[in-house]
Amino acid sequence: MIQAINAALDEEMAHDARVMVLGEDVGRRGGVFLATEGLQQKYGPDRVMDTPLSEAAIIGAAVGMAAHGMRPVAEIQFADYVFPGFDQLVSQAAKLRYRSGGQFTAPMVVRMPSGGGVKGGHHHSQSPEAHFAHTAGLKTIVVSTPYDTKGLLKSAIRDDDPVVFMEPKRLYRALKEEVPSEEYLIPIGKAALRREGSDLTLISYGGSMVETQKAAEELASVGISAEVIDLRTVMPWDKQTVLNSVAKTGRVLVISEAPRTASIASEVAATIAEELLDQLEAPPLRVTGFDTPYPYAQDKLYMPTVTRILNAAKRVLDY
């Protein structure tokens, strides 16, 4: 996945001279996870800029650059660090088109490693996508595969409005997949059908896709056919693909490692209940992280495990 990010940035910087990268240590070092490795040497320090340790300044500068015609890609070292820049993102970037009556937009991307699974503790493991999905004016993507990462990041850079791009850090070097060197884009707001099935629907995104697909394989081994949907974009999310699947199966789990309350999983489950109540064979269930600070010692238990997903599937199937 980390190579897919680097390739997407490289291609877009070559494609459009307005694209630039900024963030802490993104230049000579290539970023904390080396996602921008080699880009400063190739494009120079005016287009790959090291910044002070100030997320408010990074995002604020990106808003100004975007308003004046650039296409900045800001890197936040960990999603947990974005909150000092939260005001710039939700009050300035997200509102620029609306408050200017369409005279200005903020075509910018804020990339951030998110989620747990690397024993990072409570300041390096959070999944804050619901904060951004709740903010009108922002698009929010959470990727789960290298192929999607490249295609969606390129689409995000070309988008005329601000995009929050979240990368599960535990997948950076955990997945291998063929990623074309040819040009391709994946549309923002379109979910992926990862597996067809007829008995229940499993909906997830980001890092939890790994456990979700393993659970679907376990279910298949005992004769239960699970359809698996990867949302990919959590705002705007692909409601039609979700509803079509759940209308077919009548049973659904929504899986995410973010805390449960007011989460993406909650929004998806509530929408399904509103739209498809008469077609459901069981109440929609959520399998999520917990409403606690992220625990340092038990991060593998905090995130939805295959066992937790299978237990929830049994409840839905036995209802």
Side-chain angles (χ1 to χ4, degrees):
M1 181 178 285
I2 206 78
Q3 292 176 321
I5 296 166
N6 187 274
L9 293 170
D10 189 5
E11 288 183 18
E12 290 307 298
M13 294 186 78
H15 168 76
D16 188 341
R18 298 173 300 171
V19 177
M20 58 172 301
V21 172
L22 70 160
E24 298 159 6
D25 296 326
V26 299
R28 179 182 297 181
R29 173 172 166 75
V32 65
F33 292 101
L34 305 182
T36 59
E37 188 175 29
L39 296 179
Q40 189 181 64
Q41 290 82 350
K42 188 171 183 178
Y43 297 100
D46 289 340
R47 293 186 65 193
V48 183
M49 300 175 59
D50 283 320
T51 66
L53 299 176
S54 172
E55 285 73 22
I58 294 168
I59 298 175
V63 174
M65 292 173 185
H68 285 83
M70 303 298 288
R71 288 188 175 267
V73 182
E75 178 178 294
I76 302 299
Q77 286 196 335
F78 290 85
D80 316 66
Y81 299 173
V82 73
F83 298 110
F86 195 73
D87 180 55
Q88 293 294 328
L89 193 50
V90 305
S91 300
Q92 307 302 331
K95 307 297 190 295
L96 191 56
R97 180 186 287 276
Y98 187 83
R99 71 185 294 197
S100 70
Q103 296 182 75
F104 296 95
T105 62
M108 55 185 280
V109 178
V110 181
R111 293 182 39 246
M112 57 188 82
S114 64
V118 295
K119 285 195 172 295
H122 46 278
H123 283 161
H124 297 80
S125 304
Q126 296 175 84
S127 299
E129 58 267 23
H131 292 293
F132 306 112
H134 189 67
T135 300
L138 295 179
K139 298 171 183 174
T140 303
I141 294 168
V142 191
V143 289
S144 68
T145 73
Y147 180 88
D148 282 4
T149 297
K150 183 180 175 185
L152 281 164
L153 181 53
K154 286 167 67 70
S155 293
I157 293 170
R158 298 186 188 192
D159 199 279
D160 287 332
D161 287 299
V163 179
V164 175
F165 197 88
M166 304 182 73
E167 305 156 1
K169 66 178 82 65
R170 67 185 167 110
L171 303 185
Y172 271 158
R173 292 179 170 81
L175 298 177
K176 290 185 177 180
E177 184 181 43
E178 289 294 327
V179 176
S181 57
E182 296 80 17
E183 170 86 0
Y184 72 95
L185 301 172
I186 295 175
I188 295 172
K190 181 63 179 172
L193 178 62
R194 300 295 188 200
R195 184 188 187 106
E196 292 194 29
S198 56
D199 294 329
L200 80 162
T201 300
L202 306 181
I203 301 167
S204 188
Y205 59 89
S208 291
M209 283 304 305
V210 174
E211 289 76 21
T212 299
Q213 295 196 83
K214 287 180 180 176
E217 292 170 7
E218 293 276 343
L219 290 168
S221 70
V222 294
I224 298 169
S225 173
E227 186 144 293
V228 178
I229 293 174
D230 182 349
L231 289 179
R232 303 198 290 199
T233 304
V234 298
M235 182 53 67
W237 60 281
D238 188 352
K239 186 166 75 171
Q240 196 57 56
T241 293
V242 167
L243 295 181
N244 288 345
S245 176
V246 179
K248 179 176 69 174
T249 65
R251 294 178 169 85
V252 59
L253 302 180
V254 191
I255 301 132
S256 165
E257 68 180 83
R260 170 175 297 221
T261 300
S263 62
I264 301 298
S266 299
E267 176 65 22
V268 173
T271 301
I272 292 168
E274 284 182 345
E275 302 275 346
L276 294 176
L277 183 61
D278 292 342
Q279 298 177 62
L280 290 173
E281 302 291 342
L285 292 188
R286 295 165 289 167
V287 184
T288 67
F290 298 97
D291 292 333
T292 67
Y294 198 98
Y296 176 76
Q298 303 292 346
D299 65 345
K300 295 291 174 60
L301 295 177
Y302 179 93
M303 298 184 297
T305 61
V306 174
T307 300
R308 284 175 60 195
I309 297 169
L310 292 175
N311 288 341
K314 185 175 188 306
R315 286 179 59 196
V316 167
L317 291 163
D318 291 346
Y319 184 82

